[in-house]
Amino acid sequence: MSGATTRTPRHYDETGLLMPTRIGANGHRCYEEHQLLRLDALLGTVSRTIARRAGAGRDRRLRDHPAELSRRTTALGYR
């Protein structure tokens, strides 16, 4: 859903931004749906920041990510 690499949630866990519900014996972090929505929101904030600095008019994916995130969370009933 979020398109994040495995390093992103690991970093967010280490910094306390997003703690997994549990960590499996294999080291995989397990998240609930509301946590994945938070991860998407965090990534959307990062995308908007990058877009502003990079001139998002040239990069449609960065520009449109926050709108797509909003559409998905609304469809799930979280807004």
Side-chain angles (χ1 to χ4, degrees):
M1 177 172 166
S2 69
T5 67
T6 58
R7 293 179 64 191
T8 302
R10 193 175 300 269
H11 171 74
Y12 289 163
D13 180 15
E14 291 169 0
T15 60
L17 283 173
L18 185 70
M19 309 285 286
T21 303
R22 65 181 178 83
I23 299 177
N26 58 4
H28 290 182
R29 285 163 169 70
C30 300
Y31 297 93
E32 307 243 342
E33 184 177 12
H34 71 278
Q35 292 171 301
L36 294 176
L37 291 171
R38 177 166 164 74
L39 175 60
D40 263 354
L42 291 168
L43 293 174
T45 300
V46 170
S47 292
R48 284 189 299 275
T49 301
I50 292 169
R52 277 194 304 272
R53 292 181 181 170
R58 295 175 297 214
D59 191 339
R60 182 176 174 193
R61 287 185 309 144
L62 285 176
R63 185 186 69 227
D64 293 345
H65 178 75
E68 175 62 16
L69 173 62
S70 179
R71 185 191 66 73
R72 283 193 239 163
T73 55
T74 299
L76 291 171
Y78 285 94
R79 286 194 181 182

